[in-house]
C-alpha cells in the first residue's frame, strides 16, 4: 500500500527504531508511547482489519507480542504489560495496517485507561447479544 505509513516503515522509506525484524514481522518503537518502551508489532505485508488478516499472520503477530512482553518485563523491568489491537475509527485506530500495541506497565506509572464499564438493562439484553454473537460462530 503506497500511502500506508507502516508499509513505508517496512520498506525503510521512513525511519523507525526497530526492535526486531524477520521475514514476516517488524517490531518498532511507537513514536507516541503511552508508557516509554511501548512497541508496535506489524506484519510486513499489509493487512487490515483483524477480520481480514489470515490466521497464520495473527498467530505470528501475537506470538511476537508475547516475546516483546517478556522483553519488556525482563529488559525494562516492567511489572505488567497491556497488549492492544484496534480495528476501525470507532475503536480509535489511526493507522489502518494491522498492528499490536505492546505497552510496558510499571507499578504506580500513573497511566489509567478510560475504562468506563456500563450496565445492561437486564439479563435478557445481555443474553440476546450473546445469542447474536453465537449465531455468527
Ligand atoms: P492505532 O491508534 O492505529 O491503534 O495506533 C497507531 C500508533 O502508531 C499510535 O500509537 C502512534 O503513536 C503510532 N504511530 C503513528 N505514526 C507513527 C510513525 O510514523 N512512527 C512510529 N514509530 N509510530 C507511529
Ligand atoms: Zn500498510
Amino acid at each position: 500500500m503506497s500511502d500506508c505509513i507502516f508499509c513505508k516503515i517496512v520498506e525503510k522509506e521512513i525511519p523507525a527504531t526497530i526492535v526486531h525484524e524477520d521475514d514476516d514481522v517488524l517490531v518498532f518503537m511507537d513514536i507516541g508511547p503511552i508508557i516509554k518502551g511501548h512497541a508496535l508489532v506489524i506484519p510486513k505485508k499489509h493487512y487490515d482489519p483483524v477480520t481480514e488478516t489470515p490466521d497464520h499472520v495473527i498467530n505470528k503477530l501475537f506470538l511476537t507480542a508475547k516475546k516483546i512482553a517478556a522483553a519488556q518485563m525482563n529488559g525494562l523491568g516492567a511489572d505488567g504489560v497491556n497488549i492492544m489491537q484496534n480495528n476501525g475509527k470507532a475503536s480509535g485506530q489511526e493507522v489502518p495496517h494491522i498492528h499490536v500495541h505492546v505497552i510496558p506497565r510499571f507499578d504506580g506509572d500513573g497511566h489509567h485507561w478510560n475504562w468506563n464499564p456500563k450496565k445492561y438493562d437486564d439479563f435478557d439484553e445481555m443474553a440476546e447479544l450473546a445469542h447474536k454473537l453465537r449465531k455468527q460462530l
Side-chain angles (χ1 to χ4, degrees):
M1 288 268 291
S2 57
D3 60 345
C4 171
I5 194 160
F6 285 178
C7 284
K8 288 188 172 131
I9 287 175
V10 169
E11 296 302 326
K12 311 281 165 49
E13 288 171 16
I14 63 171
T17 301
I18 292 171
V19 176
H20 170 75
E21 179 169 11
D22 64 24
D23 288 346
D24 309 313
V25 297
L26 186 69
V27 184
F28 56 96
M29 303 301 272
D30 193 305
I31 203 158
I34 296 295
I35 299 289
K36 291 176 183 176
H38 179 169
L40 299 172
V41 183
I42 69 169
K44 286 188 159 177
K45 203 167 161 195
H46 184 101
Y47 294 107
D48 197 70
V50 67
T51 46
E52 299 295 326
T53 304
D55 289 356
H56 72 276
V57 175
I58 299 291
N59 284 341
K60 184 73 186 260
L61 287 178
F62 277 86
L63 288 173
T64 305
K66 176 184 174 183
K67 285 184 189 161
I68 299 301
Q72 289 173 340
M73 288 177 164
N74 298 327
L76 305 183
D79 301 302
V81 176
N82 288 122
I83 295 180
M84 292 179 56
Q85 198 278 309
N86 301 323
N87 296 278
K89 276 189 186 157
S91 76
Q93 185 185 20
E94 289 175 0
V95 180
H97 176 135
I98 189 170
H99 52 280
V100 180
H101 295 263
V102 190
I103 304 169
R105 299 303 306 273
F106 300 87
D107 292 338
D109 65 23
H111 179 74
H112 298 284
W113 297 107
N114 185 20
W115 196 273
N116 184 15
K118 313 290 186 303
K119 285 195 167 122
Y120 288 103
D121 293 342
D122 50 32
F123 177 80
D124 287 348
E125 184 189 20
M126 182 167 62
E128 176 60 21
L129 293 175
H131 176 67
K132 284 182 180 171
L133 295 178
R134 268 196 306 274
K135 279 207 301 190
Q136 297 296 323
L137 300 178

